[in-house]
Amino acid sequence: MTLRGRALTAMTGLRITSSYVNHLLLLKSGGVIMGEWLRSLWSDVRYGARMLFRNPGFSIAAVIILALGIGGNTAIFTIMSAVLLKPLPYDQPQRLLALDARQKDKQSRCCTLNWTDLVRERNHSFAGVAVAANDSLSLTGRGEPEEAPIARVSPNFFNVLGVKPQLGSVFADQDGRPEGRRVVMLSDAFWHTRFGSDRSIVGQTIDLDSTPYTVIGVLPAGVPFPFLGPADIWTPRYFEHSLFTTQRLRMGVGYLSAYARLRAGVSQESALAELRVLHDQYRKENPGFPDADPGISASVNNLQETVVANQRTELIFLMVAVCLVLLVGSANIASLLLSRALARRKEVAVRTALGAKRSLIIKQLLTESVLLAIIAGAIGLSVSLVFARLLITMGQFNLPQGTSIHMDAWVFLFAAGVSLLTGLFFGIFPALQLSRTNINDSLRDEGRGSTSGHARVQVKNVLVMGQVAVSMVLLIFAGLLMRNFAHLMSTDPGFDVTNVISMHISLPTVRYAETQKQISFFDEVQRRVSTLPGVRSVAISASLPLSPIRITPMLPEGQPAVPLGERPFIIIEQISPKFFETMGIPIRNGRTFNDADNAQALKVTIVNETFARQFWPNQNPVGKHIVIGRGPDASEVVGVAMDVKNKGMAQDTAPQIYVPFAQISWRYMNLLVRTSTDPHSLFSAIRAQIWAVDPDQPITNQQLAEDLVSGSRVESRSRAFLLGIFSAMGLVLAVLGIYSILAYSVAQRRQELGIRLALGAEKSDIVRLVVRQGMTLILIGIAAGLVAALICTRFISSFLYQIKTLDAVTFVIAPVVFLMTGAVASFFPAYRATKVDPTEAIRGSN
């Protein structure tokens, strides 16, 4: 190597060595800085802990207030995480879609689809299209007969979702044909409860509606199907359904829900565009089918969004409410910290005089606040778990099937984040105020009338007014929901619920395929049950009040004769002659049904008052005619029944018609029994009479009519209860804030008040002076809260029934309640102010 080459090599080596050394020095310097920062932080934490232990009363009160607020927020987030944020447990769930049909004018879901075969065969956007429908069949031959919820799915259903069984295999394509095998899969829960986790169940035969089916697999545990109704047994015979005859199915009854998996690289928008083209083709090829209506458009939605749509508004509403409580609590703690600032002025002044920078003092004070919030957050985690379980037990949320509520990493991160932000929020204002302490005034103890003290008072005033405003909004919300619940409690369901038993009976398809067998079974059951001691009346109905299950197109007399697809759909109810007597529903006009209204007699019907008002206003409905369903024979109206709540207690009564069970029979009926004795004593006797007619007949949903009505009010009651608790917490915290600032003000103005008394002021004058200060803050806060409530109440309109969002009673009572409690909170500091000794006050001012 030449001399020049050696020189270049040496220089390059020096540069590399120098760069390496610099890098090491930087790392060492960074490590030193990080170590110093950690030691400083640890020192602040230890000092902050000592300060909290030095003031146990304040610390305990602050931790309790914050733990409730953080715990409430974490509880709601735990449910939100499980319902809204956690992905469905399927393969690539973001590519799964729900296909349905919507009314073009209302954009509301109107019907299930019958055109999925066409979509499956002709689409280019989906890797797979599956269908499903809920049904129920009678399981017999293995212990007590049971009505088992069934899911009828296409053979590719589990492949589309990406679900594999834990035992056995999924359905084969040929199983989804009429000539295919009669096979089923079991849910994990049903396998455990009904078959004792028997691993040899695969290959065994079970009887469903007196028909043998072979079990080929067991689904995995922990994989719910929340977009369907409950299902214990799954069958690929999706082309059958116990509610519809083969003829009805062939005529295009839309009973299937459709689900699809997007192909890789295909957007949801392009899939929707193709789906609408296919729907147009279906209309042209099947113009007479129900879902070929031009007013219906195809729709696709993310499957996750479909599942959580009904719960999102409720959860967000409660999250906002509990966040407001935490906001009030944080403001309250900030106000208390400002009150403590007076006692810590000398400490801060000494540290400042010794050279401490303002940034270091702020960091120390914020460390104390965050430490307090973290302690509260740790306690709040335990509170949140109890609170979440309580919410679910109360029935506040109708959670999607299979939803598991538990704490995971996201919940812990949320609790930590909320704790940190809360600590910074309530600590920043006191830290900024206290760090501006005047050294000379504080060390001479002459800071009482300083500008910084006045600024602290102004900040406290703003915090208290904010607490009052937020609490006012919560109180009005709670008042509206309580008024709503009170209205529901006083709402007449339209029938007498006293001593009425209901039991659901679903007749097996094979043994009761003939109409006459269905009629004979229910006639015999009614005859037998009516002979039991203590039974006053017996009837049957297809559905129970408050929860209709069937609708039908109909054409009332006097209305334009339009095609079937354009006729209005009305709630239809099949009943026996003694239904109105058993349920205590008066007949307003005409007559009720009797035994002569059988299958051979002229078709008759009874309408409710809403139906009569809507279609025959100011006319006598008795004697008019209605074409029900596909007709063609019209039914004569023989009576008008009083309205009953047929869509729930929180909805207006819809038009409804009643038809005799003997003229339009159905396998799914409810047995209704009115008793003259304690109804609980008759459950077993009634079941015995049913099994005397058919020992293999399942009986489900055994309950009292009282429970049916109270169950319809559960959501309204729990919602009002929860918000009532939140608003009460906000009210208490706001009142504590008022008390705190007035007590602080009295302490600050002790000399002034003493001088006033020495100069002849009456104690009543002092009371008025202090109370006026408190009431001024309250009135300003109430005014701000009322304005905010006027703006925000529209967000809870969907929770109210026949209660206006601007309900005058609520908007009057809520401020009055706040004024009364605020006046009490203001009185006690005012009373203490009258105890100031004028002599000591004057001596202290010299």
Side-chain angles (χ1 to χ4, degrees), residues 19 59 81 95 166 193 302 339 529 564 579 664 690 721 790:
S19 175
S59 300
S81 175
R95 290 170 54 193
Q166 60 174 306
T193 57
N302 180 272
S339 298
V529 173
L564 182 67
F579 171 79
I664 304 180
I690 296 172
F721 176 74
L790 287 171

Side-chain angles (χ1 to χ4, degrees), residues 86-93 96 224 226-227 302-305 307:
K86 188 173 295 182
L88 294 173
Y90 310 131
D91 181 37
Q92 295 181 303
L96 292 174
F227 47 91
N302 180 272
L303 187 58
Q304 176 91 23
E305 293 298 312
V307 170

Side-chain angles (χ1 to χ4, degrees), residues 613-693:
R613 284 193 300 269
Q614 180 171 329
F615 295 102
W616 299 307
N618 303 317
Q619 300 179 52
N620 182 8
V622 176
K624 292 188 178 295
H625 293 80
I626 305 173
V627 177
I628 299 173
R630 298 178 183 271
D633 297 332
S635 299
E636 181 182 347
V637 177
V638 297
V640 178
M642 188 182 79
D643 280 343
V644 300
K645 289 290 183 179
N646 53 13
K647 296 183 68 176
M649 293 297 294
Q651 295 191 49
D652 293 332
T653 300
Q656 179 174 1
I657 59 176
Y658 301 88
V659 296
F661 172 74
Q663 293 187 352
I664 304 180
S665 63
W666 207 30
R667 295 190 305 105
Y668 297 87
M669 300 298 289
N670 295 283
L671 180 67
L672 305 168
V673 182
R674 180 174 292 278
T675 71
S676 57
T677 60
D678 180 14
H680 295 89
S681 63
L682 289 172
F683 275 102
S684 58
I686 295 172
R687 288 194 300 267
Q689 292 303 319
I690 296 172
W691 287 329
V693 180

Side-chain angles (χ1 to χ4, degrees), residues 125-162:
S125 300
F126 305 123
V129 178
V131 296
N134 288 103
D135 199 356
S136 63
L137 296 175
S138 299
L139 174 64
T140 56
R142 289 175 176 262
E144 188 175 296
E146 179 177 353
E147 183 181 351
I150 306 294
R152 297 184 179 274
V153 299
S154 55
N156 66 337
F157 180 83
F158 297 111
N159 291 330
V160 169
L161 296 181

